[in-house]
Amino acid sequence: MKKIIYIALISLAIIGVYSCRKSQIDDLKLPDPNTRSVTGEGIVAGNVSIDNEYIKVPFKISLTGVAEEAFQVGLTLNNDTVTQLINNGTITNAILMPSAGVEYPNVINVAYGTDNSEGVAIVRRSILERNYGKKVVFALKLSAPGKGNKIAAGKSTIMVIINTADLLKPTDIHYLTLNGGGTYNVVYQGDYIVGPAGVTIPLIVSLENQPSTAFNIKIKENIDTIATLVGRGTLPADAIHLDAKDYSVDTLVRFATGASGTIVRLQIPWPVFDANIVANKKFAFAFSISEASNHVIHPTKSKLIVIVNPNVNLDNNSYITGNGTGLTAKYYTNTQLDPNDGRAPFLTRVDETINFGGDDWPKNVRENDSSPSLSYDNFASRWTGEFLAPVRGDYIFYQTEWDDGARLFIDGKAIIDDYTTQWDKPSRNANIHLERGVKYKIEVHHRENVGGQQARLKYEVPSAGINGARVVPKSQLFPTP
């Protein structure tokens, strides 16, 4: 076995040079002839062991003679001595073992009839891994032996120096990484979870090498990093950081016992995506692993830039209520010809919906208060503007309650074209697939011949749960600019 752990006895002379406290100097009196002197001998050769979580360092004390009675020797950490030896350069490239990183017995039991005894110090492996390439040092001080026994002068301290590079290889280190570090682009149909309230993006924290017992990690968000990276041109100019109220992220997560990974959840509600439809900005975040109660945070792969593409919103099919005001309506009197025949309209206005019928229509279509209304049995109408599709799915549009001729254009394509003198025909319906949140150009024609008159533009989207024909609402209609 390599000489990976060095255990030294600190003599009175050394302590005298580096100690500034009288209490650290051992008693120089000779022991009573009937007592035994106790000396820290150090490591039990060949018995140092290492596993996935701990390093066990056996050490030994000896007596100048056989114990005539069983007794105990106290043990404490001697951090002051180690700190002085590191600070003055006696021990180089070294750190003091944190008190929480080593466990040791408070006493060593010496049995009757023996001249030695052993103890075991248990060192947390993560301390060594976090300080790989350095020496990790701690010292144990013998004190207060029972039954009248004494500590040998100048031999009360056992120093343990662990050279991490001898004990471990770089590939042995339990590194914690966040999605592999770097930049993580979240795009449509990527690795995220769609829910009714929004999208959950799982960020994977991975543990390299053999899993261990349960432990916690903390996640930190570095908000200023995004603005800095956008300013440098490292991130695209259309990347923005959301307000704190517009998203949530786990800041404390737990690794279960035996787990090699855990999930940090980044959650963004659908309304936040909807509010960004026009701006079409990317959402950017900067996360890092800030603390871990066990193992080692990777120096680079623990930092992650997350960029969420706005097209993730394509997986959102909650109903979007627009802020429309209706469609531009042009009425043509004393004609049933195509309203696109070049003649000037009798009247242009905005109609909130296409939902007309009975004696009030077209009685209420007047050029001004003193003029006659639109002709009852000989007129044409044309509505234009945009339709904001509230959901994604296969739409069915209806002009079945329509007297007389009917046409419906979506993005310039006539999906219903029956500009005749017939009315209320059940066949006047059409199917078309539309995407949620997209504004489509819409144009609707009406022809009134004789008799009654009505025009009710309706729709339904059974594939998205909108069942039963209903009038296209004002909120989804926008007039021609």
Side-chain angles (χ1 to χ4, degrees):
M1 181 176 182
K2 292 181 178 179
K3 191 177 182 182
I4 54 179
I5 298 180
Y6 307 92
I7 296 190
L9 301 182
I10 306 302
S11 69
L12 177 63
I14 295 178
I15 294 178
V17 172
Y18 299 117
S19 173
C20 61
R21 299 183 186 177
K22 185 177 180 180
S23 62
Q24 290 178 313
I25 300 178
D26 294 321
D27 192 344
L28 297 179
K29 292 180 181 179
L30 293 176
D32 187 282
N34 295 322
T35 64
R36 302 292 182 264
S37 294
V38 182
T39 299
E41 288 194 357
I43 190 171
V44 178
N47 288 341
V48 174
S49 63
I50 181 170
D51 61 23
N52 197 43
E53 296 213 39
Y54 299 104
I55 296 168
K56 294 182 180 180
V57 183
F59 57 89
K60 186 176 181 180
I61 63 172
S62 62
L63 282 68
T64 54
V66 174
E68 296 182 352
E69 293 182 86
F71 67 95
Q72 293 180 328
V73 181
L75 278 179
T76 57
L77 281 177
N78 190 357
N79 289 341
D80 288 345
T81 298
V82 176
T83 300
Q84 291 175 32
L85 294 175
I86 292 174
N87 289 343
N88 62 35
T90 301
I91 305 176
T92 60
N93 191 32
I95 66 147
L96 172 68
M97 171 71 72
S99 297
V102 58
E103 298 176 15
Y104 57 91
N106 292 326
V107 296
I108 297 179
N109 294 308
V110 180
Y112 164 74
T114 62
D115 63 359
N116 65 80
S117 186
E118 294 181 7
V120 176
I122 300 176
V123 175
R124 290 188 175 274
R125 174 175 173 145
S126 60
I127 302 296
L128 274 61
E129 292 186 1
R130 291 172 186 173
N131 294 282
Y132 179 77
K134 296 183 177 181
K135 302 181 186 76
V136 179
V137 186
F138 67 93
L140 298 174
K141 184 177 180 64
L142 305 178
S143 65
K147 303 299 175 64
N149 294 285
K150 301 289 185 180
I151 303 297
K155 297 182 179 180
S156 64
T157 301
I158 303 172
M159 183 169 293
V160 180
I161 303 175
I162 303 176
N163 190 335
T164 58
D166 287 340
L167 189 63
L168 299 169
K169 302 187 296 294
T171 53
D172 294 331
I173 298 176
H174 287 73
Y175 277 124
L176 290 163
T177 62
L178 180 58
N179 275 71
T183 301
Y184 178 42
N185 289 290
V186 182
V187 298
Y188 174 54
Q189 293 187 336
D191 186 15
Y192 53 82
I193 301 167
V194 175
V199 62
T200 299
I201 301 168
L203 307 177
I204 310 300
V205 181
S206 299
L207 175 65
E208 297 181 7
N209 289 311
Q210 183 180 349
S212 64
T213 55
F215 64 97
N216 297 328
I217 64 169
K218 289 185 179 180
I219 300 297
K220 177 184 177 182
E221 186 177 5
N222 309 292
I223 296 175
D224 295 339
T225 299
I226 299 304
T228 301
L229 294 177
V230 171
R232 292 176 181 171
T234 306
L235 289 180
D238 60 352
I240 61 171
H241 185 274
L242 294 175
D243 292 336
K245 64 181 177 58
D246 291 334
Y247 69 99
S248 64
V249 65
D250 295 331
T251 56
L252 177 65
V253 292
R254 186 167 179 80
F255 268 80
T257 298
S260 58
T262 192
I263 293 175
V264 175
R265 297 168 301 169
L266 171 62
Q267 296 177 308
I268 305 174
W270 290 131
V272 175
F273 282 95
D274 290 343
N276 189 55
I277 286 177
V278 175
N280 203 38
K281 295 285 188 179
K282 297 180 174 69
F283 305 151
F285 308 86
F287 299 116
S288 62
I289 304 172
S290 63
E291 293 183 34
S293 59
N294 198 7
H295 302 307
V296 186
I297 299 172
H298 196 282
T300 58
K301 294 181 181 180
S302 59
K303 300 177 177 63
L304 183 69
I305 303 296
V306 180
I307 300 176
V308 183
N309 196 291
N311 64 13
V312 169
N313 202 35
L314 292 174
D315 266 327
N316 175 15
N317 214 21
S318 60
Y319 190 97
I320 296 177
T321 300
N323 60 352
T325 57
L327 296 175
T328 300
K330 293 185 177 182
Y331 290 89
Y332 301 82
T333 192
N334 298 316
T335 180
Q336 300 173 41
L337 298 178
D338 190 324
N340 289 318
D341 67 354
R343 71 179 65 200
F346 170 76
L347 178 71
T348 299
R349 69 179 188 181
V350 172
D351 286 341
E352 293 183 353
T353 61
I354 303 176
N355 185 25
F356 301 105
D359 293 339
D360 287 338
W361 189 70
K363 185 188 297 184
N364 60 357
V365 182
R366 295 177 180 272
E367 189 171 16
N368 54 60
D369 291 341
S370 61
S371 70
S373 64
L374 191 73
S375 56
Y376 265 61
D377 292 325
N378 186 23
F379 73 90
S381 310
R382 178 189 181 207
W383 294 272
T384 59
E386 294 178 317
F387 169 67
L388 173 64
V391 294
R392 179 183 309 103
D394 297 322
Y395 285 67
I396 307 174
F397 284 94
Y398 296 93
Q399 287 180 302
T400 53
E401 298 176 50
W402 210 269
D403 186 355
D404 295 299
R407 285 197 191 106
L408 174 61
F409 299 84
I410 301 292
D411 270 358
K413 178 182 179 181
I415 63 173
I416 297 175
D417 191 356
D418 190 25
Y419 203 68
T420 66
T421 57
Q422 296 177 302
W423 63 89
D424 293 353
K425 294 174 64 175
S427 60
R428 286 175 177 166
N429 64 78
N431 291 269
I432 185 171
H433 183 84
L434 302 180
E435 290 295 336
R436 176 185 184 274
V438 176
K439 285 184 176 179
Y440 294 89
K441 291 182 179 179
I442 187 171
E443 184 169 336
V444 187
H445 295 176
H446 171 267
R447 174 183 184 179
E448 170 54 29
N449 185 29
V450 294
Q453 60 279 332
Q454 68 174 342
R456 305 186 195 280
L457 181 63
K458 296 185 175 183
Y459 82 112
E460 65 176 327
V461 195
S463 63
I466 301 176
N467 296 299
R470 74 273 319 265
V471 172
V472 178
K474 165 189 171 182
S475 61
Q476 308 308 116
L477 299 174
F478 297 82
T480 302

